[in-house]
Amino acid sequence: GMTRIIEKIRQRRKNRASVAASRSKESKNELTAGWYYSFEFFPPKTEPGLDNLLTRIERMTRRLDPLFIDVTWGSEGSTAARTLSVASQAQRYFGVDVLMHLTTTGL
């Protein structure tokens, strides 16, 4: 199922608090004050570029554990197919939540 980002933040705070409970007061403040972040990606134009991006997404999400990744949906749907490909593969194979945002121009 789809998790709301705020729920992921609450769960991470809870996890940090439980880890910090067994540590000193100084460590506890450091752990519970944590930062949350995401990564934004723009779909590449070529197949080799797509393969390279997916490799990077896998490595970055495994090592850095972002709350989610964001994939740009180009203006007027110019990157629709590639955006959907990146988003679905990242979610299915790497287990990361994905947000897609629409770029608008000329409004």
Side-chain angles (χ1 to χ4, degrees), residues 2-107:
M2 192 149 170
T3 304
R4 293 183 336 173
I5 298 303
I6 190 64
E7 294 304 323
K8 291 184 81 170
I9 291 171
R10 288 179 182 142
Q11 185 60 47
R12 288 196 183 185
R13 282 185 182 160
K14 189 181 209 180
N15 293 346
R16 285 181 180 164
S18 67
V19 168
S22 63
R23 296 187 179 188
S24 71
K25 192 174 190 176
E26 183 178 314
S27 295
K28 184 176 179 179
N29 290 338
E30 181 182 315
L31 284 169
T32 56
W35 289 83
Y36 305 99
Y37 54 90
S38 64
F39 299 121
E40 179 179 355
F41 300 102
F42 190 85
K45 295 179 181 180
T46 66
E47 283 300 316
L50 179 60
D51 291 341
N52 182 41
L53 178 61
L54 291 171
T55 299
R56 288 175 188 270
I57 290 172
E58 178 183 25
R59 186 173 51 234
M60 292 175 76
T61 56
R62 185 172 16 105
R63 291 181 184 171
L64 302 171
D65 193 28
L67 283 175
F68 62 93
I69 65 167
D70 181 358
V71 183
T72 301
W73 187 293
S75 64
E76 299 177 14
S78 61
T79 63
R82 294 232 180 244
T83 296
L84 289 171
S85 178
V86 169
S88 65
Q89 289 186 56
Q91 195 162 27
R92 180 178 299 132
Y93 299 115
F94 312 139
V96 63
D97 285 327
V98 178
L99 169 94
M100 294 179 283
H101 77 269
L102 179 64
T103 302
T104 58
T105 57
L107 294 178

